[in-house]
């Protein structure tokens, strides 16, 4: 009995996955409601043309961080796959979570229409009012799909704006239509398409095997202990335990690992692109072999560990390169985020180079476009920081609401002889500083501009 408990006392991977799904669900639903300094943790707003990241708002003209985010996404997935196989698919993918909620929670646990341990058996609609239960299950999932679709939109439209828009549906038909379209897709996907999405549609399954090596963790069946159930042509040759060629082979041919698989594969056949690493087969074999006082024949391990009896290497050339690439990407992203400007300013020179007024006063006209990218009203001021001989003659501080833009005509003048050149007009480099009076240390930008000074013979 001690030996039996040794192999059955471990917490099933299914329970660990359920806890992970619960955490991801709470995290995904709650994240859009969390703000830092009035900005979202993550928001890609096409309405306001902003990216919010960790409480900092970036205007669309500042989206130099997007390439780094995409690099993190793809390199991160490649790194996870190289180390843990399709761990994303089995433990974090919304498709898998939605199917578990509908199939294992609603159909199996609440309405008892199927068994979690036998995912491949179809529902028998001839008994137990299963047709009525099925209809109710679809209605429940439809409501949950609507919540999931709304939650998805909250990462593009902040929840407070989303619910405000719903109060005036006639003015936001596109938003409502988009949410309903996502809801309809989720209903079709989870109830009709099911795991066929993972098998036939998801592109990730097509590239996973390229990223695997002998040290990649995956659900793997030990042919050394259990015996070969399939031949080299992937044809099943063993149907009953008595058919195993070697009496030392431990597989009982109970097919528990097969019936529990959500993608309808037999893990004993070897690596298959349909496997999503949910580890249901590991739990099933652990239960069966544990009753015999033996370790599971299907393990969450690597080919080296199971087949070659060598330790799994976490740090190897490809994983080290992935982690280096991720570290560099994160470091560059933080460096670039430090260049964030808390207001936008475009400076354009007027088509007329300069004007000469009485007393040899030279003026240049500029058109400045201000934009407030902060979440509060700000009053902007302007000054020339590197040439005391040039003064601002036309500009008054003004207040700008969040997200708004304002165009201002600015006149710079000088009555000094900046350049003594009889041959040509001379461009003089200057620096303009614009800042918010409320927070001049944080909300400030510097822009280079050119002040054109006329040749000397044009001056009186």
């Amino acid at each position: 009995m001690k030996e039996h408990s040794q192999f059955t006392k471990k917490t099933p991977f299914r329970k660990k996955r359920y806890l992970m799904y619960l955490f991801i669900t709470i995290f995904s639903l709650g994240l859009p409601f969390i703000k830092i300094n009035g900005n979202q943790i993550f928001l890609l707003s096409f309405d306001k043309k902003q990216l919010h990241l960790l409480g900092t708002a970036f205007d669309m003209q500042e989206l130099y961080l997007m390439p780094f985010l995409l690099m993190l996404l793809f390199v991160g997935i490649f790194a996870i796959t190289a180390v843990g196989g399709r761990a994303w698919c089995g433990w974090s993918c919304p498709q898998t979570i939605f199917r578990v909620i509908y199939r294992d929670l609603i159909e199996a646990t609440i309405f008892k229409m199927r068994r979690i341990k036998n995912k491949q058996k179809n529902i028998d609609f001839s008994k137990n009012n299963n047709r009525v239960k099925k209809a109710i299950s679809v209605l429940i999932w439809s409501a949950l799909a609507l919540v999931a679709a709304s939650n998805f939109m909250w990462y593009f439209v902040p929840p407070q704006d989303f619910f405000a828009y719903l109060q005036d549906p006639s003015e936001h038909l596109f938003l409502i239509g988009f949410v309903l379209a996502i809801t309809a897709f989720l209903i079709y996907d989870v109830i009709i398409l099911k795991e066929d999405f993972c098998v036939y549609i998801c592109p990730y399954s097509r590239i996973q095997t390229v990223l695997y090596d002998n040290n990649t963790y995956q659900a793997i069946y030990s042919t050394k202990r259990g015996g070969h159930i399939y031949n080299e042509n992937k044809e099943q040759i063993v149907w009953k335990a008595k058919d195993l060629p070697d009496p030392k082979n431990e597989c009982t041919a109970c097919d528990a690992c097969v019936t529990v698989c959500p993608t309808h594969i037999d893990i004993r056949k070897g690596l298959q692109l349909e496997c999503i690493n949910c580890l249901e087969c590991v739990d099933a074999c652990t239960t069966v072999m544990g009753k015999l006082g033996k370790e599971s024949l299907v393990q969450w391990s690597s080919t080296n560990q199971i087949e070659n009896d060598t330790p799994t290497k976490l740090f190897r050339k490809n994983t080290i390169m992935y982690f280096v690439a991720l570290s560099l990407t994160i470091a560059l992203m933080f460096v670039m985020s430090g260049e964030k400007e808390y207001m936008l300013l475009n400076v354009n020179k007027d088509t007329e180079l300069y004007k000469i007024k009485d007393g040899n006063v030279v003026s240049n006209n500029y058109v400045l476009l201000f934009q407030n990218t902060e979440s509060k009203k700000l009053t902007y001021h302007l000054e020339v920081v590197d040439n005391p001989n040039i003064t601002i003659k036309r500009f008054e501080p003004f207040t700008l609401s969040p997200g708004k833009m304002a165009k201002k005509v600015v006149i710079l003048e000088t009555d000094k002889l900046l350049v003594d050149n009889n041959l040509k007009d001379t461009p003089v480099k200057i620096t303009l500083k614009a800042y918010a009076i409320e927070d001049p240390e944080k909300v400030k930008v510097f822009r280079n501009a050119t002040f054109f000074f006329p040749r000397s013979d044009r001056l009186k």
Side-chain angles (χ1 to χ4, degrees):
M1 291 300 294
K2 290 184 179 180
E3 187 179 15
H4 171 85
S5 63
Q6 176 184 353
F7 298 111
T8 58
K9 66 182 181 180
K10 294 181 179 179
T11 303
F13 284 108
R14 179 185 296 144
K15 291 184 178 180
K16 295 178 181 178
R17 283 179 23 248
Y18 287 171
L19 290 176
M20 176 63 75
Y21 297 162
L22 180 62
F23 170 77
I24 292 174
T25 300
I26 295 174
F27 179 81
S28 300
L29 289 171
L31 190 63
F33 293 92
I34 301 175
K35 290 185 177 183
I36 300 177
N37 297 325
N39 297 319
Q40 310 291 135
I41 296 292
F42 178 82
L43 173 71
L44 184 58
S45 175
F46 296 102
D47 182 21
K48 298 179 180 179
K49 298 181 177 64
Q50 287 184 334
L51 167 68
H52 290 202
L53 187 62
L54 300 179
T56 301
F58 295 90
D59 192 78
M60 286 297 178
Q61 299 180 46
E62 300 177 288
L63 291 190
Y64 41 77
L65 291 182
M66 285 301 293
F68 296 102
L69 293 176
L70 293 176
M71 289 170 63
L72 280 178
L73 174 64
F74 286 103
V75 177
I77 289 178
F78 293 162
I80 291 173
T81 305
V83 174
R86 291 179 70 178
W88 160 261
C89 297
W91 293 72
S92 302
C93 179
Q95 166 76 15
T96 303
I97 296 175
F98 293 157
R99 277 295 295 162
V100 167
I101 291 174
Y102 179 73
R103 180 194 60 229
D104 294 356
L105 177 61
I106 299 177
E107 287 189 337
T109 304
I110 298 178
F111 292 107
K112 311 293 183 182
M113 290 187 288
R114 63 164 75 243
R115 297 180 63 202
I116 295 178
K117 295 182 179 180
N118 193 347
K119 293 180 172 59
Q120 298 187 16
K121 185 177 181 180
N122 294 324
I123 298 174
D124 185 0
F125 289 108
S126 63
K127 60 181 181 179
N128 297 330
N129 297 319
N130 280 344
R131 292 187 182 278
V132 176
K133 293 179 180 179
K134 181 69 174 182
I136 298 175
S137 299
V138 172
L139 291 176
I140 293 175
W141 173 247
S142 298
L144 294 177
L146 182 60
V147 174
S150 300
N151 180 223
F152 174 76
M153 287 303 301
W154 295 340
Y155 289 93
F156 300 91
V157 179
Q160 61 272 18
D161 293 344
F162 179 85
F163 292 115
Y165 293 160
L166 292 183
Q167 297 177 13
D168 190 9
S170 61
E171 295 295 326
H172 301 92
L173 293 178
F174 179 80
L175 173 67
I176 295 174
F178 197 76
V179 172
L180 292 178
I182 296 175
T183 303
F185 171 76
L186 291 178
I187 294 172
Y188 169 78
D189 174 39
V190 172
I191 296 177
I192 299 176
L193 194 58
K194 299 181 286 191
E195 278 74 24
D196 285 344
F197 180 91
C198 306
V199 177
Y200 299 110
I201 298 176
C202 180
Y204 183 39
S205 63
R206 299 299 187 269
I207 66 170
Q208 59 151 336
T209 51
V210 180
L211 302 172
Y212 277 30
D213 58 30
N214 287 340
N215 288 291
T216 299
Y217 276 91
Q218 56 186 294
I220 184 170
Y221 167 74
S222 175
T223 55
K224 295 175 66 175
R225 289 180 51 218
H228 290 278
I229 308 300
Y230 291 83
N231 61 20
E232 295 179 354
N233 297 322
K234 302 299 181 182
E235 297 172 341
Q236 191 166 353
I237 57 175
V238 174
W239 298 91
K240 299 293 183 181
K242 62 182 179 63
D243 298 329
L244 288 165
D246 189 341
K248 295 182 180 179
N249 294 150
E250 299 177 16
C251 182
T252 63
C254 64
D255 285 349
C257 60
V258 179
T259 57
V260 78
C261 179
T263 56
H264 295 211
I265 65 171
D266 189 340
I267 195 63
R268 299 171 298 180
K269 188 184 289 188
L271 177 63
Q272 298 155 77
L273 62 84
E274 296 90 346
C275 179
I276 61 173
N277 271 352
C278 64
L279 308 184
E280 290 276 13
C281 53
V282 178
D283 286 340
C285 192
T286 298
T287 301
V288 174
M289 298 304 293
K291 293 177 181 178
L292 302 177
K294 298 179 180 180
E295 191 177 9
S296 174
L297 298 174
V298 187
Q299 294 283 332
W300 171 243
S301 188
S302 67
T303 302
N304 275 343
Q305 185 75 44
I306 298 298
E307 299 295 337
N308 304 327
D309 292 325
T310 58
T312 302
K313 293 182 180 180
L314 176 61
F315 296 102
R316 47 197 192 272
K317 287 184 179 180
N318 57 342
T319 57
I320 291 175
M321 291 303 296
Y322 283 133
F323 289 129
V324 168
L326 285 172
S327 300
L328 288 175
T329 303
I330 293 173
L332 288 173
M333 187 174 69
F334 274 101
V335 170
M336 294 297 293
S337 64
E339 301 296 323
K340 157 71 178 171
E341 294 182 335
Y342 295 91
M343 62 175 289
L344 294 181
L345 175 63
N346 291 329
V347 178
N348 297 299
K349 182 73 174 66
D350 191 80
T351 54
E352 186 178 22
L353 284 183
Y354 53 80
K355 290 182 180 179
I356 302 176
K357 302 179 181 179
D358 294 339
N360 288 333
V361 175
V362 179
S363 67
N364 281 210
N365 294 352
Y366 303 84
V367 178
L368 274 59
L369 181 63
F370 293 81
Q371 183 173 358
N372 183 0
T373 59
E374 292 295 279
S375 58
K376 58 183 178 181
K377 286 185 177 182
L378 294 173
T379 302
Y380 294 112
H381 200 13
L382 184 71
E383 63 183 39
V384 180
V385 297
D386 57 355
N387 198 320
N389 294 322
I390 299 176
T391 59
I392 301 174
K393 289 301 180 182
R394 179 178 172 180
F395 181 83
E396 294 293 335
F398 68 98
T399 301
L400 202 56
S401 298
K404 298 298 183 180
M405 294 186 294
K407 184 182 294 185
K408 299 292 181 179
V409 176
V410 176
I411 300 177
L412 302 183
E413 288 186 354
T414 182
D415 58 0
K416 307 296 183 181
L417 183 64
L418 299 182
V419 181
D420 190 2
N421 190 329
N422 289 321
L423 300 178
K424 62 179 181 180
D425 299 329
T426 305
V428 178
K429 298 297 182 182
I430 60 173
T431 302
L432 297 176
K433 175 187 176 182
Y435 59 92
I437 295 176
E438 294 83 356
D439 194 354
E441 292 303 317
K442 174 185 175 182
V443 185
K444 61 182 178 181
V445 296
F446 295 88
R447 292 290 183 265
N448 294 325
T450 301
F451 186 92
F452 284 91
F453 195 81
R455 63 181 187 264
S456 300
D457 62 346
R458 301 199 62 180
L459 299 174
K460 298 177 182 178

